[in-house]
Amino acid sequence: MPVRQTARYNAGDYGGRSSHTVSFSSATPGNWLVVFVSSGVPIGSTTSGYQQHEYVGSGFSLRMFIKEATGGESSFTVSTSQSTIKCHVSMVEVYGPMELSGTLARTSSGGSAFTDTLPRAGGVMVAGAALLSVGSFSTVSWPSQVDSQWSMETAATDGGSVPNWHISSVAYETGLSTSYSFPGASVSGTYGFAAAVFYPPEPPDDDPPSVPSNLRLTGMTPTSVTVAWDASSDNMGVSGYTTYLNGVERGSTSSQSATFSGLTPGVSVTVQVDAYDYKGNRSEKAELVVTPVNDTTPPLTPVVKVTGLAAGKITIGWDTPYDQSAVVAYGVYLNGQKQGGDQTGRTRTFSNLTAGALYTVSVDALDLLGNRSAKGTRTVRAQADTTPPTVPGNVSVVATSKTAITLAWTPSTDDNVGVTGYGLYLGAFRIAEVPSRVYTFTGLTPGVTYTVGVDAVDELGNRSSRVMLQATTLADLSGAAPPYEYVLYDWDSHLPLDSLPLQNVSFEITLGGGGTLSADIPLYDDAYTIGRVAAATRPERTMIMVYRGEQLVWGGRIIDPADYDSETGVLKITAEESIAIYGKRYVAFTGPRNGTVADTEVTWLLEHAARPADLRWLTYDGAAGSGTPVDREYRSEDFERILDKATEVAAAPGGFDWWVAPGWDAVNDRPRFVLRRISRETPPDTGLTLEYPGNVRRYKRSTRRGLATRTWGQLRRPDGGVMLSSVTRTDLLADGWPLIEEAWQFDGLTSQAALDAETKRASDASAGAKQLFEFDLAITPDVRWWQWELGGTARVVITDHLFPAQPDGSPGLDRSMKIVSLKVQPDSAEGELVTVTTGEHTVAVD
């Protein structure tokens, strides 16, 4: 409760006095002391420090005094001009976090009630009333929702033969609304009323209300328009609305409608309305352009659609047709008979019909001035419709160009609701739905064979089977979009072996060199012989180079599996990035390596057991190592994988991200690969923007668990001892995140400092869950995806249901993310398809 204590004093209990004191417990500093003094004689001095806020003279006068307590106050004294029994004093102590908003006072004759408007809801009112009832006893009425109330009465003859009643009453109420009603008194007399209103402290409010929605025309004459709107919302409550005509303010209102008069017939006007709160914050304006006319033209005919069917039941819906004024209602008909009065909604269900019978359903529209449209009509059977339309007929490719394929077909039929459109497919994806019987696929790649198709759909969503065809765009001889070529090399000799036209190719480049390639070789094709294929695709030895025209864009080493299906005659081959060979080799060194830094240590790990062919195929470039040199120790008998150790070194503090980029040995005129080191602290900006909707056809987001608020690191020393380190995210724990522990075993370190650094790195990597975004790009001939740097940043811009637009219209998501992989399908059903994967660790406190 907001009230700490109350106290009261009635001079009638003491036989008459000229000094009157109400006593109470010692007040708390910062609290509010509210004192009501009701007296039938003039008063004199009062306890100092109290300010009189209100005075109401009503025969039995009422004064209200208020003070903010300094602490220790325990009484209030008032003197009267003479000794009297007609003096009442009441005190209410209100807790200090409340703030005094204001006071009010009223005098009423005849015991009548009154209502006052308050600044806002949620307040606390402390109120007092004083009443002189002549000749008979009376009472003060309070609203039923008051939290507490009390009254004092004193009877005095005042020189007459019949006693007069001097009555005072005090109450307090919490949880006020924006208005306050006082019921009055039970006698035809005069009473005084005074009150203080308190509110809890509120944070600064700079937030405007929401924009009034659904601003609409609800009435019109040739010289006036009436509009209405839906209520706005606000964190502290909406106080009202301001209306504007052609940008000029026309007034404010607490209602949700307004009429603008004195307009010129046929001249359009702009009506606006905004909302404001009691702090004066204003929303943006809702706007509507209307033209006052003597509207004698009916609305356009509604377009009726069947939205549901069942045995004996039909459900329809319809659009909002255009009208010079505004459509306000609709008439609904079944077999020509109107079904009840006009309705405002745009859907209707007809029930209790004869199952399977044929019905005619119709809808017309009514505007503001009573004009009624023609009827929109449908004829349909009252039975469930799950039967799809017939398949489109005579589907054929009627035109091709370098970047487009045009498809045409004859119409489908449907046995009930009718065909409403045709779905167009590029590969497995439906990319459009049209009512016509011809469609052109655009934005395609020259010289690529696409799978395209069409199906039919009825009004209830039943779809026919698809008719799929293959069509090839015209080749682009300008070289803007060169074809892919697959050339095979021998690992040892570094010489080319063959060039095979592979099918269903898909390859990936990833941070850390984990990319793979998969492809089909159709052995039934006369261009292949099993001997030729076997010679060119020896697992673990044959290198495969992927060229796009003259540009080398991917390379790797063919590995098992190589699966074959005799029914299709297809041999499936697999390749992995060349760096993966070091995942099959062990560190061939025992002993310490002191003062190492990341870049030279990774190079040493990859080269210390390398053969001449390895050195021909791989070189190094990019960011150098940084940070404090680390002492390391290796033992060959531990059989640690070279690639695992290199990855560990690169991931440590002072390390880098890395990937393997296709390169070219200009001196020897042959392909090779470059291990690209990318700074984690200052990753390069690729200049790439991934925007959905935009250059991104579609995207997927996935997350991986990763949050740890305490991370342990353990290092076992050669002498059998154990060193431990831990990092605790006290910032997250203090903010309410639970304790989630994770432990890591580290090998090869030689000092506590190195262990602490590795544990800190692991803790930083566990700041939150990892998010991965996969973006399928709409590739055009000028997109050079092979020039994008993995580990670099791309700007990601998304606006959709997961990331809705911001209130100012900016995208729902707009930030830089790291590119972690590229996946390419040169001849997918959609043409050349490039998938960019970006990754980031979310911050746990976001």
Side-chain angles (χ1 to χ4, degrees):
M1 295 293 293
V3 172
R4 177 173 179 258
Q5 64 170 322
T6 62
R8 67 205 72 172
Y9 162 88
N10 186 344
D13 296 337
Y14 301 96
R17 291 180 175 182
S18 60
S19 179
H20 311 275
T21 299
V22 60
S23 300
F24 45 88
S25 301
S26 181
T28 301
N31 285 357
W32 295 97
L33 302 175
V34 183
V35 177
F36 296 94
V37 177
S38 303
S39 177
V41 299
I43 70 169
S45 62
T46 61
T47 300
S48 63
Y50 288 80
Q51 180 182 354
Q52 178 177 305
H53 279 258
E54 299 293 351
Y55 166 68
V56 181
S58 60
F60 190 44
S61 66
L62 174 67
R63 289 175 171 82
M64 181 173 67
F65 299 86
I66 301 177
K67 177 186 180 182
E68 186 173 4
T70 57
E73 294 91 342
S74 59
S75 65
F76 177 89
T77 299
V78 57
S79 64
T80 51
S81 60
Q82 62 190 65
S83 179
T84 182
I85 62 173
K86 298 180 292 184
C87 183
H88 301 163
V89 184
S90 295
M91 188 282 306
V92 179
E93 182 179 355
V94 179
Y95 280 112
M98 306 293 285
E99 296 177 349
L100 177 63
S101 173
T103 62
L104 59 94
R106 292 287 184 273
T107 299
S108 179
S109 61
S112 58
F114 70 85
T115 298
D116 254 310
T117 299
L118 302 179
R120 58 189 172 97
V124 175
M125 176 178 283
V126 179
L131 172 68
L132 174 61
S133 181
V134 178
S136 62
F137 181 76
S138 182
T139 60
V140 175
S141 299
W142 290 102
S144 59
Q145 66 269 24
V146 296
D147 295 273
S148 182
Q149 68 177 69
W150 61 91
S151 297
M152 293 182 283
E153 304 88 16
T154 299
T157 59
D158 294 329
S161 59
V162 178
N164 295 329
W165 289 92
H166 299 77
I167 303 166
S168 69
S169 187
V170 175
Y172 60 85
E173 179 182 342
T174 60
L176 297 172
S177 65
T178 55
S179 66
Y180 181 82
S181 296
F182 182 65
S186 63
V187 69
S188 297
T190 300
Y191 69 83
F193 175 92
V197 181
F198 299 85
Y199 288 100
E202 58 178 325
D205 179 17
D206 298 323
D207 296 328
S210 63
V211 179
S213 59
N214 193 25
L215 180 59
R216 59 199 180 275
L217 185 66
T218 58
M220 185 172 70
T221 73
T223 59
S224 70
V225 294
T226 299
V227 297
W229 56 91
D230 293 343
S232 298
S233 60
D234 185 74
N235 60 332
M236 302 301 291
V238 174
S239 296
Y241 302 90
T242 301
T243 58
Y244 307 81
L245 183 67
N246 293 330
V248 178
E249 183 176 330
R250 292 294 294 264
S252 296
T253 177
S254 59
S255 68
Q256 292 167 225
S257 65
T259 298
F260 301 86
S261 302
L263 308 181
T264 302
V267 177
S268 297
V269 293
T270 299
V271 174
Q272 296 171 310
V273 60
D274 62 19
Y276 58 90
D277 60 21
Y278 84 100
K279 286 286 191 178
N281 300 308
R282 286 190 177 273
S283 72
E284 296 293 325
K285 295 181 178 71
E287 184 174 298
L288 179 68
V289 177
V290 295
T291 305
V293 294
N294 183 19
D295 182 9
T296 60
T297 303
L300 295 181
T301 304
V303 177
V304 181
K305 295 184 177 181
V306 179
T307 60
L309 286 176
K313 181 183 290 187
I314 300 172
T315 301
I316 61 172
W318 54 92
D319 67 342
T320 301
Y322 170 78
D323 184 72
Q324 280 187 318
S325 56
V327 174
V328 295
Y330 302 91
V332 181
Y333 305 80
L334 180 67
N335 288 339
Q337 298 298 313
K338 192 170 184 180
Q339 305 297 293
D342 293 328
Q343 65 177 64
T344 56
R346 291 188 291 114
T347 184
R348 187 67 172 265
T349 296
F350 304 92
S351 301
N352 301 317
L353 306 179
T354 301
L358 200 63
Y359 290 88
T360 298
V361 293
S362 306
V363 176
D364 61 22
L366 182 70
D367 69 15
L368 281 171
L369 299 182
N371 302 302
R372 193 173 289 274
S373 74
K375 295 182 179 70
T377 300
R378 294 295 302 276
T379 300
V380 64
R381 294 188 184 279
Q383 63 185 23
D385 182 0
T386 59
T387 303
T390 61
V391 297
N394 300 320
V395 181
S396 61
V397 175
V398 296
T400 59
S401 69
K402 294 178 183 178
T403 60
I405 296 171
T406 301
L407 208 61
W409 57 93
T410 56
S412 299
T413 60
D414 188 72
D415 65 353
N416 196 354
V417 294
V419 176
T420 57
Y422 298 89
L424 282 306
Y425 295 81
L426 185 62
F429 297 96
R430 186 168 69 245
I431 63 171
E433 196 159 294
V434 299
S436 61
R437 299 193 304 276
V438 64
Y439 183 80
T440 299
F441 299 87
T442 60
L444 307 180
T445 302
V448 172
T449 299
Y450 291 87
T451 300
V452 294
V454 61
D455 66 8
V457 62
D458 67 18
E459 203 156 49
L460 294 179
N462 300 308
R463 308 196 79 91
S464 73
S465 299
R466 301 176 198 171
V467 179
M468 305 298 291
L469 300 176
Q470 285 196 326
T472 303
T473 52
L474 300 180
D476 186 350
L477 303 179
S478 67
Y484 281 82
E485 184 179 7
Y486 309 98
V487 181
L488 300 127
Y489 281 74
D490 179 71
W491 167 268
D492 186 65
S493 67
H494 219 125
L495 296 174
L497 298 171
D498 203 345
S499 177
L500 296 177
L502 307 179
Q503 297 181 358
N504 297 325
V505 176
S506 174
F507 58 88
E508 187 176 25
I509 312 170
T510 70
L511 282 180
T516 60
L517 173 145
S518 62
D520 293 348
I521 301 177
L523 297 182
Y524 53 76
D525 192 317
D526 293 338
Y528 303 95
T529 67
I530 190 59
R532 178 187 175 192
V533 171
T537 59
R538 292 170 294 178
E540 309 297 342
R541 178 163 179 170
T542 299
M543 303 291 291
I544 181 170
M545 303 293 128
V546 179
Y547 291 85
R548 195 175 189 271
E550 298 297 321
Q551 178 68 47
L552 177 63
V553 296
W554 193 88
R557 188 171 50 88
I558 291 180
I559 59 172
D560 286 326
D563 299 328
Y564 177 72
D565 185 347
S566 65
E567 185 174 356
T568 62
V570 171
L571 176 69
K572 295 183 178 293
I573 62 170
T574 307
E576 62 183 12
E577 291 189 65
S578 60
I579 194 73
I581 188 67
Y582 294 98
K584 296 180 171 62
R585 299 177 182 176
Y586 300 117
V587 176
F589 177 80
T590 298
R593 281 183 56 79
N594 298 326
T596 66
V597 293
D599 60 327
T600 56
E601 191 67 358
V602 167
T603 301
W604 174 82
L605 280 165
L606 297 179
E607 292 189 344
H608 81 283
R611 303 187 60 177
D614 301 322
L615 301 176
R616 288 198 307 267
W617 282 104
L618 188 62
T619 186
Y620 310 87
D621 191 15
S626 62
T628 305
V630 176
D631 295 338
R632 303 180 184 276
E633 184 165 347
Y634 299 93
R635 294 188 296 269
S636 60
E637 62 268 24
D638 289 342
F639 294 105
E640 294 179 288
R641 302 280 186 179
I642 291 176
L643 187 58
D644 291 345
K645 293 303 296 182
T647 301
E648 178 184 310
V649 170
F656 43 80
D657 289 326
W658 62 271
W659 66 292
V660 178
W664 195 261
D665 182 352
V667 174
N668 297 292
D669 193 29
R670 60 192 180 192
R672 69 178 178 188
F673 305 101
V674 181
L675 189 148
R676 292 277 301 154
R677 299 184 296 263
I678 309 300
S679 172
R680 285 198 297 269
E681 289 72 28
T682 57
D685 183 358
T686 65
L688 173 63
T689 296
L690 300 168
E691 186 171 8
Y692 180 85
N695 64 339
V696 174
R697 293 181 179 176
R698 54 191 168 270
Y699 79 93
K700 297 178 182 179
R701 188 199 71 168
S702 58
T703 62
R704 306 289 186 271
R705 293 186 66 178
L707 176 64
T709 49
R710 179 176 293 155
T711 304
W712 293 90
Q714 182 189 71
L715 174 65
R716 295 190 179 278
R717 298 192 306 236
D719 61 5
V722 175
M723 289 193 292
L724 295 176
S725 180
S726 70
V727 175
T728 300
R729 292 294 301 268
T730 55
D731 56 333
L732 298 183
L733 294 176
D735 198 41
W737 292 86
L739 177 64
I740 304 172
E741 296 185 301
E742 188 176 41
W744 296 86
Q745 171 73 46
F746 297 107
D747 298 316
L749 307 179
T750 59
S751 68
Q752 183 68 46
L755 176 62
D756 292 342
E758 285 292 297
T759 305
K760 175 63 165 59
R761 177 189 63 80
S763 175
D764 291 342
S766 299
K770 186 172 185 179
Q771 291 192 130
L772 294 177
F773 289 79
E774 297 180 16
F775 301 96
D776 289 346
L777 299 189
I779 294 298
T780 56
D782 59 339
V783 174
R784 302 291 187 262
W785 57 261
W786 53 88
Q787 296 177 353
W788 299 336
E789 184 89 78
L790 267 67
T793 60
R795 181 187 176 196
V796 173
V797 180
I798 301 176
T799 302
D800 65 354
H801 295 294
L802 182 61
F803 300 102
Q806 300 295 324
D808 62 0
S810 59
L813 177 70
D814 188 351
R815 61 173 176 257
S816 292
M817 294 186 191
K818 182 187 296 184
I819 300 177
V820 297
S821 73
L822 293 172
K823 181 179 180 180
V824 181
Q825 300 173 70
D827 56 352
S828 76
E830 298 176 82
E832 184 182 22
L833 182 63
V834 176
T835 301
V836 181
T837 300
T838 64
E840 62 174 2
H841 277 280
T842 60
V843 179
V845 294
D846 276 354

